[in-house]
Coordinates of all heavy atoms in Angstrom, one line a residue:
M1 N 0.9 -1.2 0.1 CA 0.0 0.0 0.1 C 0.9 1.3 0.0 O 1.9 1.3 0.8 CB -0.9 0.0 1.2 CG -1.8 1.2 1.2 SD -3.1 1.1 2.5 CE -2.4 1.1 3.9
L2 N 0.6 2.2 -0.8 CA 1.3 3.4 -0.9 C 0.5 4.5 -0.1 O -0.7 4.6 -0.1 CB 1.4 4.0 -2.3 CG 2.2 3.1 -3.3 CD1 2.0 3.7 -4.8 CD2 3.7 3.0 -3.0
L3 N 1.4 5.3 0.7 CA 0.7 6.3 1.5 C 1.2 7.7 0.9 O 2.5 7.8 0.6 CB 1.2 6.3 2.9 CG 0.7 5.0 3.7 CD1 1.3 5.0 5.1 CD2 -0.8 4.9 3.7
G4 N 0.4 8.6 0.7 CA 0.7 9.9 0.2 C 1.1 10.9 1.4 O 0.8 10.6 2.5
N5 N 1.9 11.9 1.0 CA 2.4 12.9 2.0 C 1.8 14.2 1.7 O 1.7 14.6 0.5 CB 3.8 12.9 2.0 CG 4.4 11.7 2.6 OD1 3.9 11.1 3.6 ND2 5.5 11.2 2.0
S6 N 1.5 15.0 2.6 CA 1.1 16.4 2.4 C 2.3 17.3 2.4 O 3.1 17.1 3.3 CB 0.2 16.8 3.5 OG -0.1 18.2 3.5
Y7 N 2.5 18.1 1.4 CA 3.7 18.9 1.3 C 3.4 20.3 1.9 O 4.3 20.9 2.4 CB 4.1 18.9 -0.1 CG 4.4 17.6 -0.7 CD1 3.7 16.8 -1.5 CD2 5.7 17.1 -0.3 CE1 4.1 15.6 -1.9 CE2 6.1 15.9 -0.7 CZ 5.3 15.2 -1.6 OH 5.6 13.9 -2.0
K8 N 2.2 20.9 1.6 CA 2.0 22.2 2.1 C 0.4 22.4 2.3 O -0.3 22.0 1.4 CB 2.5 23.2 1.0 CG 2.2 24.6 1.4 CD 2.8 25.7 0.6 CE 3.1 25.4 -0.7 NZ 3.6 26.7 -1.5
S9 N 0.1 22.9 3.4 CA -1.4 23.2 3.7 C -1.6 24.7 3.6 O -1.0 25.4 4.4 CB -1.8 22.6 4.9 OG -1.8 21.2 4.8
I10 N -2.5 25.2 2.8 CA -2.8 26.6 2.7 C -4.2 26.8 3.4 O -5.1 26.1 3.1 CB -3.0 27.1 1.3 CG1 -1.8 26.8 0.5 CG2 -3.4 28.5 1.2 CD1 -0.5 27.7 0.9
V11 N -4.2 27.9 4.3 CA -5.3 28.2 5.0 C -5.8 29.5 4.6 O -5.1 30.4 4.5 CB -5.1 28.2 6.6 CG1 -6.4 28.7 7.4 CG2 -4.6 26.8 7.0
N12 N -7.2 29.7 4.3 CA -7.7 31.0 3.9 C -8.6 31.4 5.1 O -9.2 30.7 5.7 CB -8.6 30.9 2.7 CG -7.8 30.5 1.5 OD1 -7.0 31.4 1.0 ND2 -8.0 29.5 0.9
S13 N -8.6 32.8 5.4 CA -9.2 33.4 6.4 C -9.9 34.7 6.0 O -9.4 35.4 5.1 CB -8.3 33.8 7.6 OG -7.8 32.7 8.3
H14 N -11.1 34.9 6.5 CA -11.9 36.1 6.2 C -12.3 36.8 7.6 O -12.9 36.1 8.3 CB -13.2 35.8 5.4 CG -14.1 36.9 5.2 ND1 -15.4 36.6 5.0 CD2 -13.9 38.2 5.2 CE1 -16.0 37.9 4.7 NE2 -15.1 38.8 4.9
L15 N -11.8 38.0 7.7 CA -12.1 38.7 8.8 C -13.2 39.7 8.5 O -13.0 40.7 7.6 CB -11.0 39.5 9.2 CG -9.7 38.7 9.6 CD1 -8.5 39.6 10.1 CD2 -10.0 37.7 10.7
T16 N -14.4 39.6 9.0 CA -15.6 40.4 8.7 C -15.4 41.8 9.5 O -15.1 41.7 10.8 CB -16.9 39.8 9.0 OG1 -16.9 38.6 8.3 CG2 -18.1 40.6 8.6
N17 N -15.5 42.9 8.9 CA -15.4 44.2 9.5 C -16.6 44.9 9.4 O -16.7 46.1 8.8 CB -14.2 44.9 8.9 CG -13.8 46.2 9.6 OD1 -14.3 46.4 10.7 ND2 -12.8 46.9 9.2
S18 N -17.7 44.5 10.0 CA -19.0 45.2 9.9 C -19.0 46.5 10.6 O -19.8 47.3 10.1 CB -20.2 44.2 10.6 OG -19.7 43.9 11.8
D19 N -18.2 46.8 11.5 CA -18.2 48.1 12.1 C -17.3 49.0 11.4 O -17.1 50.1 11.8 CB -17.6 47.9 13.6 CG -18.7 47.2 14.5 OD1 -19.8 47.3 14.2 OD2 -18.3 46.6 15.5
E20 N -16.7 48.6 10.3 CA -15.7 49.3 9.5 C -14.6 50.1 10.3 O -14.3 51.2 10.2 CB -16.4 50.5 8.7 CG -17.5 49.8 7.7 CD -18.2 50.8 6.9 OE1 -18.1 52.0 7.2 OE2 -19.0 50.5 6.1
N21 N -14.0 49.3 11.2 CA -12.8 49.7 12.0 C -11.6 49.9 11.2 O -11.5 49.2 10.1 CB -12.5 48.7 13.2 CG -13.7 48.7 14.2 OD1 -14.2 49.7 14.5 ND2 -14.0 47.4 14.6
N22 N -10.8 50.8 11.5 CA -9.5 51.0 10.9 C -8.5 49.9 11.1 O -7.5 49.7 10.4 CB -9.0 52.4 11.1 CG -9.8 53.4 10.3 OD1 -10.2 53.2 9.2 ND2 -9.9 54.6 11.0
L23 N -8.5 49.3 12.4 CA -7.7 48.3 12.8 C -8.4 47.1 13.2 O -9.5 47.1 13.8 CB -6.7 48.7 14.0 CG -5.8 49.8 13.8 CD1 -5.1 50.2 15.1 CD2 -4.8 49.6 12.8
I24 N -8.0 45.9 12.8 CA -8.4 44.6 13.3 C -7.5 43.8 13.9 O -6.4 43.5 13.3 CB -9.2 43.9 12.0 CG1 -10.2 44.6 11.3 CG2 -9.7 42.4 12.5 CD1 -10.8 43.9 10.0
N25 N -7.7 43.2 15.1 CA -6.8 42.3 15.7 C -7.2 40.9 15.5 O -8.5 40.6 15.5 CB -6.9 42.6 17.3 CG -6.3 43.9 17.6 OD1 -5.2 44.4 17.2 ND2 -7.0 44.7 18.3
D26 N -6.2 40.1 15.2 CA -6.6 38.7 15.0 C -5.4 37.8 15.4 O -4.3 38.3 15.8 CB -6.6 38.4 13.4 CG -7.1 37.1 13.0 OD1 -7.9 36.5 13.8 OD2 -6.8 36.6 12.0
L27 N -5.7 36.6 15.8 CA -4.6 35.7 16.3 C -4.4 34.5 15.2 O -5.4 34.1 14.8 CB -5.0 35.0 17.6 CG -5.1 35.9 18.8 CD1 -5.6 35.1 20.0 CD2 -3.8 36.4 19.1
S28 N -3.2 34.3 14.8 CA -2.9 33.3 13.9 C -1.6 32.7 14.1 O -0.6 33.4 14.3 CB -3.0 34.0 12.4 OG -2.7 33.0 11.4
D29 N -1.4 31.4 13.8 CA -0.1 30.8 13.8 C 0.4 30.4 12.4 O 1.4 29.6 12.2 CB 0.0 29.6 14.7 CG -1.1 28.5 14.4 OD1 -1.7 28.7 13.5 OD2 -1.1 27.5 15.0
L30 N -0.2 31.0 11.3 CA 0.1 30.8 10.0 C 1.5 31.5 9.7 O 1.9 32.5 10.2 CB -1.0 31.3 9.0 CG -2.3 30.8 9.2 CD1 -3.3 31.3 8.3 CD2 -2.2 29.2 8.9
I31 N 2.1 31.0 8.7 CA 3.4 31.7 8.2 C 3.1 32.1 6.7 O 2.1 31.5 6.1 CB 4.6 30.6 8.3 CG1 4.4 29.4 7.5 CG2 4.9 30.4 9.7 CD1 5.7 28.5 7.4
N32 N 4.0 32.8 6.2 CA 3.9 33.5 4.8 C 2.5 33.9 4.6 O 1.9 33.6 3.5 CB 4.2 32.3 3.8 CG 5.7 31.8 4.0 OD1 6.5 32.5 4.4 ND2 5.8 30.5 3.7
I33 N 2.0 34.7 5.5 CA 0.7 35.4 5.4 C 0.7 36.4 4.3 O 1.6 37.3 4.2 CB 0.3 36.0 6.7 CG1 0.2 34.9 7.7 CG2 -1.0 36.8 6.5 CD1 -0.1 35.4 9.1
E34 N -0.3 36.4 3.5 CA -0.6 37.5 2.5 C -2.0 37.8 2.3 O -2.9 37.0 2.4 CB 0.1 37.0 1.1 CG -0.5 35.9 0.4 CD 0.0 35.6 -0.9 OE1 -0.4 36.2 -1.9 OE2 0.9 34.8 -1.0
N35 N -2.3 39.1 2.1 CA -3.6 39.7 1.8 C -4.0 39.2 0.3 O -3.2 39.5 -0.6 CB -3.6 41.1 1.9 CG -5.0 41.7 1.8 OD1 -5.9 41.1 1.2 ND2 -5.1 43.0 2.4
V36 N -5.1 38.5 0.1 CA -5.4 38.1 -1.1 C -6.6 38.8 -1.8 O -7.0 38.4 -2.9 CB -5.8 36.5 -1.1 CG1 -4.6 35.7 -0.6 CG2 -7.0 36.3 -0.1
N37 N -7.0 40.0 -1.2 CA -8.2 40.6 -1.7 C -8.1 42.1 -1.5 O -9.0 42.9 -1.1 CB -9.5 40.1 -1.2 CG -10.6 40.6 -2.1 OD1 -10.5 40.6 -3.3 ND2 -11.7 40.9 -1.4
G38 N -6.9 42.7 -1.4 CA -6.7 44.1 -1.2 C -5.2 44.5 -1.0 O -4.3 43.6 -1.1
D39 N -5.0 45.8 -0.6 CA -3.7 46.2 -0.3 C -3.4 46.5 1.1 O -2.5 47.2 1.5 CB -3.2 47.3 -1.2 CG -4.2 48.5 -1.0 OD1 -5.1 48.4 -0.3 OD2 -3.9 49.6 -1.6
E40 N -4.4 46.2 2.0 CA -4.2 46.4 3.4 C -3.0 45.7 4.0 O -2.8 44.5 3.6 CB -5.5 45.9 4.2 CG -6.8 46.8 3.8 CD -7.3 46.2 2.6 OE1 -7.1 45.1 2.1 OE2 -8.3 46.8 2.0
T41 N -2.3 46.2 4.9 CA -1.1 45.6 5.5 C -1.3 45.2 6.8 O -2.4 45.7 7.5 CB 0.1 46.6 5.5 OG1 -0.3 47.7 6.2 CG2 0.4 47.1 3.9
F42 N -0.5 44.5 7.5 CA -0.7 44.1 9.0 C 0.9 44.1 9.5 O 1.8 44.1 8.8 CB -1.2 42.7 8.9 CG -0.2 41.5 8.3 CD1 0.5 40.9 9.3 CD2 -0.2 41.2 7.1 CE1 1.4 39.8 8.8 CE2 0.6 40.2 6.6 CZ 1.4 39.5 7.4
S43 N 0.7 44.1 10.9 CA 2.1 43.9 11.7 C 1.7 42.6 12.5 O 0.6 42.2 12.8 CB 2.3 45.1 12.6 OG 1.3 45.3 13.4
K44 N 2.9 41.9 12.8 CA 2.8 40.7 13.5 C 3.7 40.7 14.7 O 4.9 41.1 14.6 CB 3.2 39.5 12.5 CG 2.9 38.1 13.2 CD 3.2 37.1 12.2 CE 3.0 35.8 12.9 NZ 3.0 34.5 12.0
D45 N 3.2 40.3 15.9 CA 4.0 40.1 17.1 C 3.7 38.8 17.6 O 2.6 38.6 18.2 CB 3.7 41.2 18.0 CG 4.5 41.1 19.3 OD1 5.6 40.5 19.3 OD2 4.2 41.8 20.2
G46 N 4.4 37.8 17.4 CA 4.2 36.4 17.9 C 2.9 35.8 17.1 O 3.0 35.8 15.8
N47 N 1.9 35.5 17.7 CA 0.8 35.0 17.0 C -0.3 36.1 16.8 O -1.4 35.8 16.3 CB 0.0 33.8 17.8 CG 0.8 32.5 17.6 OD1 1.7 32.5 16.8 ND2 0.5 31.6 18.4
S48 N 0.0 37.3 17.2 CA -0.9 38.4 17.1 C -0.8 39.3 15.8 O 0.3 39.6 15.5 CB -0.7 39.4 18.3 OG -1.6 40.5 18.2
L49 N -1.9 39.4 15.1 CA -1.8 40.2 13.9 C -2.8 41.5 14.1 O -3.7 41.4 14.7 CB -2.5 39.4 12.7 CG -1.8 38.1 12.2 CD1 -2.7 37.5 11.2 CD2 -0.3 38.3 11.9
I50 N -2.2 42.6 13.6 CA -3.0 43.9 13.7 C -3.0 44.3 12.2 O -2.0 44.6 11.6 CB -2.3 44.9 14.5 CG1 -2.2 44.4 16.0 CG2 -3.1 46.2 14.4 CD1 -1.4 45.3 16.9
W51 N -4.2 44.2 11.6 CA -4.4 44.6 10.3 C -4.8 46.1 10.1 O -5.7 46.5 10.8 CB -5.6 43.8 9.5 CG -5.1 42.3 9.3 CD1 -5.4 41.3 10.1 CD2 -4.5 42.0 8.2 NE1 -4.7 40.2 9.5 CE2 -4.3 40.5 8.3 CE3 -4.2 42.6 6.9 CZ2 -3.7 39.8 7.2 CZ3 -3.6 41.8 5.9 CH2 -3.4 40.5 6.1
N52 N -4.3 46.9 9.3 CA -4.6 48.2 8.9 C -5.7 48.0 7.9 O -5.6 48.1 6.7 CB -3.5 49.0 8.3 CG -2.3 49.1 9.5 OD1 -2.6 49.5 10.5 ND2 -1.2 48.8 9.0
S53 N -6.9 47.8 8.3 CA -8.1 47.4 7.4 C -8.7 48.5 6.7 O -9.5 48.2 5.7 CB -9.0 46.7 8.2 OG -9.7 47.6 9.2
K54 N -8.5 49.8 7.0 CA -9.1 50.9 6.2 C -10.6 50.8 6.2 O -11.2 51.2 5.2 CB -8.5 51.0 4.9 CG -7.0 51.2 4.9 CD -6.5 51.3 3.4 CE -5.0 51.0 3.4 NZ -4.5 50.8 2.0
G55 N -11.3 50.1 7.2 CA -12.7 49.8 7.2 C -13.2 48.8 6.4 O -14.4 48.4 6.3
A56 N -12.3 47.9 5.8 CA -12.7 46.9 4.8 C -12.6 45.5 5.5 O -11.9 45.3 6.4 CB -11.8 46.9 3.6
D57 N -13.2 44.6 5.0 CA -13.1 43.1 5.3 C -11.6 42.7 4.9 O -11.1 43.2 3.9 CB -14.1 42.2 4.7 CG -15.5 42.3 5.2 OD1 -15.7 43.2 6.2 OD2 -16.3 41.5 4.9
I58 N -11.1 41.8 5.6 CA -9.8 41.3 5.2 C -9.9 39.8 4.8 O -10.4 39.0 5.5 CB -8.8 41.4 6.4 CG1 -8.6 42.9 6.8 CG2 -7.3 40.8 6.1 CD1 -7.9 43.7 5.8
Y59 N -9.3 39.5 3.7 CA -9.2 38.2 3.2 C -7.7 37.8 3.1 O -7.0 38.5 2.4 CB -9.8 38.0 1.8 CG -11.2 38.3 1.8 CD1 -11.8 39.6 1.6 CD2 -12.2 37.2 1.9 CE1 -13.1 39.8 1.6 CE2 -13.6 37.5 1.8 CZ -14.0 38.8 1.7 OH -15.4 39.1 1.7
Y60 N -7.2 36.8 3.9 CA -5.8 36.5 3.8 C -5.6 35.0 3.8 O -6.6 34.2 4.1 CB -5.1 37.2 4.9 CG -5.2 36.7 6.3 CD1 -4.4 35.7 6.9 CD2 -6.2 37.2 7.1 CE1 -4.5 35.3 8.1 CE2 -6.4 36.8 8.4 CZ -5.6 35.7 8.9 OH -5.6 35.4 10.2
Q61 N -4.3 34.5 3.4 CA -4.1 33.3 3.4 C -2.7 33.1 4.0 O -1.9 34.0 4.0 CB -4.3 32.5 2.1 CG -3.2 33.0 1.0 CD -3.4 32.2 -0.3 OE1 -4.6 31.7 -0.5 NE2 -2.5 32.2 -1.2
G62 N -2.4 31.8 4.5 CA -1.0 31.5 4.9 C -0.8 30.0 4.9 O -1.8 29.3 4.7
E63 N 0.3 29.6 5.3 CA 0.7 28.1 5.4 C 0.7 27.8 6.8 O 1.1 28.4 7.7 CB 2.0 27.9 4.8 CG 2.0 28.3 3.2 CD 3.5 28.2 2.8 OE1 4.4 27.3 3.3 OE2 3.9 28.9 1.9
T64 N 0.5 26.5 7.0 CA 0.4 25.8 8.2 C 1.1 24.4 8.2 O 1.1 23.9 7.2 CB -0.9 25.6 8.9 OG1 -0.9 25.1 10.2 CG2 -1.9 24.6 8.2
S65 N 1.8 24.1 9.2 CA 2.5 22.8 9.3 C 1.7 21.8 10.2 O 2.1 20.7 10.3 CB 3.9 22.9 9.8 OG 3.9 23.5 11.1
K66 N 0.6 22.3 10.7 CA -0.2 21.3 11.5 C -0.9 20.3 10.7 O -1.2 20.5 9.4 CB -1.4 22.1 12.2 CG -1.0 23.1 13.3 CD -2.1 23.7 14.0 CE -1.7 24.7 15.2 NZ -2.8 25.3 15.7
E67 N -1.2 19.1 11.2 CA -1.9 18.1 10.5 C -3.3 18.5 10.3 O -3.9 19.1 11.1 CB -1.9 16.8 11.4 CG -0.6 16.0 11.1 CD -0.7 14.6 11.8 OE1 -1.8 13.9 11.5 OE2 0.2 14.1 12.3
L68 N -3.8 18.0 9.2 CA -5.2 18.4 8.8 C -6.2 17.5 9.8 O -5.8 16.4 10.2 CB -5.5 18.0 7.4 CG -4.7 18.8 6.4 CD1 -4.8 18.3 5.0 CD2 -5.0 20.3 6.5
P69 N -7.3 18.1 10.0 CA -8.2 17.3 10.9 C -9.0 16.2 10.2 O -9.9 15.6 10.7 CB -9.2 18.4 11.3 CG -9.2 19.4 10.2 CD -7.7 19.3 9.7
I70 N -8.6 15.9 8.9 CA -9.2 14.8 8.1 C -8.1 13.9 7.6 O -6.9 14.2 7.6 CB -10.0 15.3 6.9 CG1 -9.2 16.0 6.0 CG2 -11.1 16.1 7.5 CD1 -9.8 16.5 4.7
E71 N -8.4 12.7 7.3 CA -7.4 11.7 6.6 C -8.2 11.2 5.3 O -9.4 10.9 5.4 CB -7.2 10.6 7.6 CG -6.2 9.6 7.1 CD -5.9 8.6 8.0 OE1 -6.2 8.7 9.2 OE2 -5.1 7.6 7.7
C72 N -7.5 11.1 4.3 CA -8.0 10.6 3.0 C -7.2 9.4 2.7 O -6.0 9.4 2.6 CB -7.9 11.7 2.0 SG -8.5 11.2 0.3
I73 N -7.9 8.3 2.5 CA -7.3 7.0 2.0 C -8.0 6.6 0.7 O -9.3 6.6 0.6 CB -7.5 5.9 3.1 CG1 -6.8 6.2 4.3 CG2 -6.9 4.5 2.5 CD1 -7.0 5.3 5.5
V74 N -7.2 6.5 -0.4 CA -7.7 6.0 -1.6 C -7.3 4.6 -2.0 O -6.1 4.2 -1.8 CB -7.3 6.9 -2.7 CG1 -7.7 6.5 -4.1 CG2 -7.7 8.4 -2.4
K75 N -8.2 3.7 -2.3 CA -7.9 2.3 -2.5 C -8.4 2.0 -3.9 O -9.6 2.3 -4.3 CB -8.6 1.4 -1.6 CG -8.4 0.0 -1.6 CD -9.1 -0.9 -0.6 CE -8.8 -2.3 -0.8 NZ -9.6 -3.0 0.2
Y76 N -7.5 1.4 -4.8 CA -7.8 1.0 -6.1 C -7.9 -0.5 -6.2 O -7.1 -1.2 -5.6 CB -6.7 1.4 -7.1 CG -6.5 2.9 -7.2 CD1 -5.6 3.7 -6.4 CD2 -7.3 3.6 -8.1 CE1 -5.5 5.1 -6.6 CE2 -7.2 5.0 -8.3 CZ -6.4 5.7 -7.5 OH -6.2 7.0 -7.7
E77 N -8.9 -1.0 -6.9 CA -9.2 -2.3 -7.1 C -9.3 -2.5 -8.7 O -10.1 -1.8 -9.3 CB -10.2 -3.0 -6.4 CG -10.0 -3.0 -4.8 CD -11.1 -3.6 -4.1 OE1 -11.9 -4.5 -4.8 OE2 -11.3 -3.4 -2.9
L78 N -8.6 -3.5 -9.2 CA -8.8 -3.7 -10.7 C -9.7 -5.0 -10.8 O -9.6 -5.9 -10.1 CB -7.4 -4.0 -11.3 CG -6.4 -2.8 -11.3 CD1 -5.0 -3.3 -11.7 CD2 -7.0 -1.6 -11.9
E79 N -10.6 -4.8 -11.8 CA -11.6 -5.9 -12.0 C -11.0 -6.7 -13.3 O -10.9 -5.9 -14.3 CB -12.9 -5.4 -12.2 CG -13.9 -6.5 -12.4 CD -15.3 -5.9 -12.6 OE1 -15.6 -5.1 -11.7 OE2 -16.0 -6.3 -13.5
R80 N -10.8 -7.9 -13.2 CA -10.4 -8.6 -14.5 C -11.6 -9.0 -15.1 O -12.5 -9.6 -14.6 CB -9.6 -9.8 -13.9 CG -8.9 -10.6 -15.1 CD -8.0 -11.6 -14.6 NE -7.3 -12.1 -15.7 CZ -6.4 -13.0 -15.7 NH1 -6.0 -13.3 -14.4 NH2 -5.7 -13.4 -16.6
R81 N -11.6 -8.7 -16.5 CA -12.7 -9.1 -17.4 C -12.3 -10.1 -18.5 O -11.0 -9.9 -18.9 CB -13.3 -7.9 -18.0 CG -14.0 -7.0 -16.9 CD -14.8 -5.9 -17.7 NE -15.3 -5.1 -16.6 CZ -16.5 -4.4 -16.7 NH1 -17.1 -4.5 -17.9 NH2 -16.9 -3.6 -15.7
G82 N -13.1 -10.9 -18.9 CA -12.7 -11.8 -20.0 C -12.0 -13.0 -19.5 O -12.0 -13.5 -18.4
N83 N -11.2 -13.5 -20.5 CA -10.5 -14.8 -20.2 C -9.4 -14.6 -19.2 O -8.3 -14.4 -19.2 CB -10.1 -15.4 -21.4 CG -11.3 -15.9 -22.2 OD1 -12.4 -15.8 -21.8 ND2 -11.1 -16.3 -23.5

């Protein structure tokens, strides 16, 4: 049996800013974080993120090395037909 390996896991996050605040505080242990839907910037101190949101929602993604909460097993069976 062959087992697959996960090489990289990407996590997407959406911070809703219904009060249109200029700053949004968030906690994240992701690395290589990037804003994927705007030019708002952030500062990071440990796991604490402070986004300069300019009143907008923030959509960002980053990488994690944590194990996924699911496991996927694929099994193939060949059916022999004919003689």
Side-chain angles (χ1 to χ4, degrees):
M1 179 164 62
L2 297 174
L3 296 177
N5 292 320
S6 175
Y7 296 103
K8 180 172 30 173
S9 295
I10 304 292
V11 176
N12 292 296
S13 293
H14 173 203
L15 303 177
T16 303
N17 191 2
S18 56
D19 293 333
E20 297 182 355
N21 294 318
N22 286 324
L23 296 176
I24 299 177
N25 295 309
D26 192 29
L27 293 175
S28 177
D29 58 0
L30 300 176
I31 59 171
N32 300 326
I33 294 172
E34 66 178 272
N35 186 338
V36 295
N37 195 42
D39 60 357
E40 297 83 11
T41 59
F42 69 95
S43 59
K44 183 173 183 176
D45 183 17
N47 286 350
S48 177
L49 300 176
I50 301 174
W51 285 92
N52 298 309
S53 63
K54 304 175 193 172
D57 286 5
I58 300 292
Y59 298 83
Y60 71 92
Q61 71 180 20
E63 298 174 28
T64 184
S65 58
K66 289 183 178 181
E67 274 196 41
L68 297 175
I70 61 169
E71 182 178 350
C72 180
I73 298 173
V74 178
K75 182 178 177 182
Y76 293 94
E77 292 185 21
L78 300 176
E79 182 179 313
R80 187 174 188 173
R81 294 183 182 219
N83 296 350

